[in-house]
Amino acid sequence: SLKSYENTQKTSDININKRTKSMYTPLELQFIDMKKQYKDAVLCVECGYKYRFFGEDAEIAAKELNIYCHQDHNFMTASIPSHRLFVHVRRLVAKGYKVGVIKQMETAALKAAGENKSSVFSRKLTALYTKSTLIGEDILFKEMRFHTLTLDDSVDVEEVATDVPDNYLLCICENGENLKDRKKSDIAIGIMAIQPTTGEVIFDSFQDSASRLELESRVLCLQPVEIILPLNLSDQSEKLINSITSM
């Protein structure tokens, strides 16, 4: 029917790269769907015994990790060996990137024996790393087996050093029903700092002046590696945070 034909045309248009006029591969379509969900993350996609980067993520990886990047079908692509994943994740996170690890949810043997053996491997995000959340099975498992690494692995001690003990994730909030209230000289501020690696939680609430001296002292004391701010943060607090993070 006409309706069925129109739906087929729409599906076909989605599967075609408008710039190159070529069809996307099933893996590329899978990556596009995942990238829509995690736009602000550099995605490492497991493909057999390596992890691949696509598009802008591949260009970032090539620049920051000093690896080769080339055109493959419709995307620029770069890859790293599976056993080097945790090293490269650390490097990207240290550069300020949010890194997502996407793993295959089925093995080649099981897939070959299943009914969907001709389809693309099912994959999903299993970890999302930032400076304050550099924990998880990929990182910890590799660290536990560090003593078994050989010289052929070419891993520097600095690359697998433990995280800074005080890698706090800090959240800041302010009271006030509206912006005018937050422009007053005195304001109530609440903070909560979490250290994901140990589960330690620190929280406090206090009155602060327009100079935000109390807030500054707490931020400098905690030295957080990440800060979460509300959308309606006052100008005074935002200027203070910007000045601290710029240093």
Side-chain angles (χ1 to χ4, degrees):
S1 65
L2 178 61
K3 188 173 182 180
S4 177
Y5 172 76
E6 289 175 347
N7 290 335
T8 302
Q9 286 296 103
K10 289 179 181 178
T11 303
S12 178
D13 291 341
I14 293 173
N15 294 347
I16 294 177
N17 186 323
K18 294 181 180 179
R19 183 176 59 84
T20 62
K21 305 300 181 183
S22 60
M23 294 286 290
Y24 285 115
T25 67
L27 177 59
E28 289 175 338
L29 289 173
Q30 193 177 58
F31 168 75
I32 291 171
D33 288 338
M34 289 184 285
K35 193 63 180 178
K36 288 178 181 177
Q37 301 176 56
Y38 310 102
K39 295 178 181 179
D40 61 340
V42 175
L43 299 182
C44 311
V45 183
E46 185 180 20
C47 299
Y49 295 102
K50 60 185 177 181
Y51 281 86
R52 294 180 64 184
F53 302 88
F54 296 92
E56 292 182 4
D57 293 350
E59 294 177 17
I60 291 172
K63 175 186 174 184
E64 305 294 356
L65 305 176
N66 195 27
I67 60 177
Y68 179 63
C69 179
H70 65 282
Q71 185 75 32
D72 183 25
H73 295 287
N74 295 288
F75 286 102
M76 295 297 290
T77 186
S79 62
I80 55 175
S82 294
H83 72 278
R84 295 281 293 181
L85 173 66
F86 81 111
V87 174
H88 294 303
V89 166
R90 283 183 178 277
R91 287 175 174 170
L92 289 171
V93 168
K95 295 286 185 178
Y97 296 99
K98 181 187 293 185
V99 182
V101 175
I102 294 174
K103 289 192 171 184
Q104 293 179 179
M105 294 293 103
E106 49 190 345
T107 64
L110 289 175
K111 189 170 182 60
E115 297 179 355
N116 61 339
K117 57 183 177 181
S118 60
S119 62
V120 67
F121 280 89
S122 63
R123 295 178 173 88
K124 73 174 185 178
L125 185 86
T126 59
L128 194 61
Y129 298 114
T130 60
K131 284 188 176 181
S132 67
T133 59
L134 195 59
I135 56 176
E137 58 175 316
D138 298 300
I139 303 299
L140 296 179
F141 174 74
K142 293 294 183 179
E143 285 183 348
M144 286 189 292
R145 63 181 291 271
F146 173 55
H147 65 281
T148 66
L149 293 174
T150 65
L151 293 177
D152 293 335
D153 290 311
S154 302
V155 178
D156 296 328
V157 174
E158 292 180 357
E159 293 178 341
V160 291
T162 55
D163 297 325
V164 178
D166 298 330
N167 57 333
Y168 288 107
L169 170 63
L170 176 66
C171 181
I172 300 173
C173 63
E174 298 175 331
N175 77 337
E177 296 297 326
N178 52 52
L179 188 59
K180 289 182 179 179
D181 292 336
R182 291 192 296 275
K183 285 184 177 179
K184 293 178 180 178
S185 58
D186 292 330
I187 187 173
I189 297 177
I191 64 169
M192 177 173 284
I194 300 173
Q195 190 174 163
T197 52
T198 63
E200 181 184 2
V201 177
I202 298 174
F203 57 92
D204 191 12
S205 61
F206 50 89
Q207 292 292 130
D208 208 348
S209 63
S211 61
R212 298 295 189 268
L213 290 176
E214 293 293 328
L215 177 60
E216 181 180 18
S217 65
R218 285 161 174 78
V219 174
L220 292 176
C221 178
L222 291 169
Q223 291 289 306
V225 294
E226 279 190 271
I227 302 177
I228 298 177
L229 303 175
L231 293 175
N232 57 350
L233 191 69
S234 65
D235 293 339
Q236 297 93 323
S237 297
E238 188 170 355
K239 288 178 181 178
L240 171 67
I241 298 300
N242 286 336
S243 65
I244 293 175
T245 54
S246 64
M247 292 187 295

